[in-house]
């Protein structure tokens, strides 16, 4: 995949947006170019659609251009949040026009839970103000993949120990000693099971 420019800081984005609204086309191009990583990341969701990745990126870029062209600061969201909707809409319109069944990646699709057990949606990640949006999306993709791999590669005891140890599925993280007490096994045995389970997941994650 091509290497794209890094995302703009909030201050840089605001400055470019102000210049663009004053008629500076170079500022508009900068806003588009610095958000191309977002296009590429969203397009990756559709890689199994038997479509050429370059074609998908071209289509997604049209959505990005529309997003940059029509975004208004009064919308109450970040440019990248709004642009992500436009990119996804453009891709979905393309698939629908070809009458294909698309893997609709809705911004409101549940992608996991937080430590309190509250449901996390893609929109929650996209609206994050603290970190790079693409990095956040990639992290959530990896977490989702790990959840999918667990029942495939781990036995019940391994799943239970990792779930308890790392607070998965809304549980509160506990120590190896606490797990050992609950399961009536030694702490060293818990440690060995945990290490083995993590290695299984690591290998399966790499292979996948």
């Amino acid at each position: 995949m091509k290497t794209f420019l890094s995302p703009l800081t909030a201050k840089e984005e605001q400055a470019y947006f102000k210049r663009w609204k004053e008629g500076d086309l170079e500022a508009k191009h900068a806003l588009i170019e610095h958000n191309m990583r977002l296009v590429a990341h969203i397009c990756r969701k559709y890689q199994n659609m038997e479509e050429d990745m370059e074609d998908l990126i071209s289509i997604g870029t049209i959505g990005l251009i529309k997003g940059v062209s029509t975004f208004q600061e009064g919308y109450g969201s970040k440019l990248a949040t709004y642009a992500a909707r436009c990119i996804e809409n453009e891709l979905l319109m393309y698939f629908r026009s070809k009458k294909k069944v698309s893997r609709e990646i809705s911004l409101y699709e549940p992608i996991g839970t937080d430590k309190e057990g509250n449901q996390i949606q893609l929109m929650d990640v996209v609206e994050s103000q603290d970190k790079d949006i693409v990095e956040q999306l990639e992290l959530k993709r990896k977490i989702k993949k790990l959840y999918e791999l667990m029942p495939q590669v781990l036995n019940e005891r391994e799943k239970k120990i990792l779930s308890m140890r790392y607070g998965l599925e809304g549980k509160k993280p506990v120590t190896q000693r606490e797990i050992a007490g609950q399961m009536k096994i030694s702490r060293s045995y818990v440690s060995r099971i945990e290490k083995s389970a993590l290695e299984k997941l690591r290998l399966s994650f790499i292979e996948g």
Side-chain angles (χ1 to χ4, degrees), residues 94-106:
Y94 166 72
F95 289 124
R96 286 165 183 157
S97 70
K98 295 186 69 175
K99 296 182 180 179
K100 287 192 172 183
V101 179
S102 65
R103 292 174 57 205
E104 295 190 16
I105 309 300
S106 169

Side-chain angles (χ1 to χ4, degrees), residues 145-162:
K145 183 177 178 180
L146 283 175
Y147 271 110
E148 292 171 349
L149 285 173
M150 284 181 68
Q152 299 175 25
V153 301
L154 303 181
N155 59 42
E156 288 302 317
R157 173 172 281 186
E158 290 169 334
K159 285 191 295 182
K160 182 176 181 180
I161 287 177
L162 287 191

Side-chain angles (χ1 to χ4, degrees), residues 51-64:
E51 300 289 340
D52 183 80
M53 192 62 181
E54 291 296 322
D55 290 342
L56 292 180
I57 289 177
S58 295
I59 294 162
T61 301
I62 294 172
L64 172 62

Side-chain angles (χ1 to χ4, degrees), residues 35-43 64 80-81 83-84 87 133-134 137:
N35 277 286
M36 283 300 298
R37 290 177 70 214
L38 182 60
V39 174
H41 189 84
I42 292 175
C43 287
L64 172 62
T81 304
I87 294 165
I133 286 174
V134 174
L137 289 172

Side-chain angles (χ1 to χ4, degrees), residues 150-151 154-169 171-176 178-185 190 193-194 197 201:
M150 284 181 68
L154 303 181
N155 59 42
E156 288 302 317
R157 173 172 281 186
E158 290 169 334
K159 285 191 295 182
K160 182 176 181 180
I161 287 177
L162 287 191
S163 181
M164 295 171 68
R165 185 79 175 87
Y166 296 96
L168 305 180
E169 300 173 346
K171 295 182 175 66
K172 180 181 178 181
V174 298
T175 65
Q176 291 180 346
E178 289 174 309
I179 295 172
Q182 290 185 40
M183 299 183 70
K184 309 299 182 183
I185 56 179
V190 171
I193 294 174
E194 178 186 340
L201 284 175

